Amino acid sequence: QVQLVESGGGLVQAGGSLRLSCAASGSIFSINAMGWYRQAPGKQRELVAGIATTGRTNYADSVKGRFTISRDNAKNTVYLQMNSLKPEDTAVYYCNAAIRTSYSGNYYVEWGQGTQVTVSS
C-alpha cells in the first residue's frame, strides 16, 4: 500500500510564502513524474506544476515566476515553494505521483489527501 502525505498548508497574507511538502511511503519500487494540483471551491481541479525524474518542470501560466516545484528522489518527496501568494491561489492543494510497486508492474497515479492553502487580502 502506498500513501502520499502532504504538509505545509495554512493561512497567509497576500504577498507571503508557503512551502508544501508531499512524501510518498509504502511499497514503492520507483516513482516517475510527480506534481501538484489545486481545486478552488466551485472550480475544477487544475495542474499547478509537474516535475519529471530528470528534473524537467512545467507550470501553469498563473503561477510561473512565483512557484517552484522540486523533488528529492532519495526521500520520495516533492515540494512546492509558493511565493508572492495571491488571494486567487486559495484552494486545496493535492500532490500526485506516478508509482510502480514492482519491477514488472505498471505505473499508476496515487493522490494525496490535500492540504488547504488560504491567502487573505
Side-chain angles (χ1 to χ4, degrees):
Q1 188 174 0
V2 175
Q3 273 190 319
L4 268 61
V5 178
E6 296 124 334
S7 60
L11 173 64
V12 64
Q13 288 188 333
S17 298
L18 283 174
R19 189 190 192 213
L20 305 183
S21 299
C22 172
S25 63
S27 301
I28 299 170
F29 179 78
S30 64
I31 300 177
N32 199 335
M34 305 182 82
W36 288 94
Y37 286 69
R38 66 186 181 187
Q39 187 166 19
K43 295 188 176 182
Q44 289 190 329
R45 191 174 297 190
E46 62 175 1
L47 174 70
V48 175
I51 185 167
T53 52
T54 59
R56 183 174 180 176
T57 59
N58 62 290
Y59 296 92
D61 288 342
S62 59
V63 306
K64 282 181 181 176
R66 300 188 298 123
F67 291 10
T68 302
I69 189 171
S70 61
R71 65 190 287 172
D72 184 334
N73 292 328
K75 295 182 179 180
N76 290 336
T77 299
V78 62
Y79 305 95
L80 186 67
Q81 177 67 43
M82 305 185 293
N83 299 329
S84 302
L85 282 160
K86 305 175 181 180
E88 51 263 44
D89 294 318
T90 295
V92 178
Y93 283 70
Y94 300 89
C95 67
N96 76 355
I99 293 173
R100 191 167 53 161
T101 58
S102 67
Y103 175 80
S104 59
N106 296 318
Y107 282 101
Y108 75 98
V109 177
E110 187 69 52
W111 289 87
Q113 79 286 354
T115 185
Q116 177 70 46
V117 171
T118 303
V119 184
S120 63
S121 56

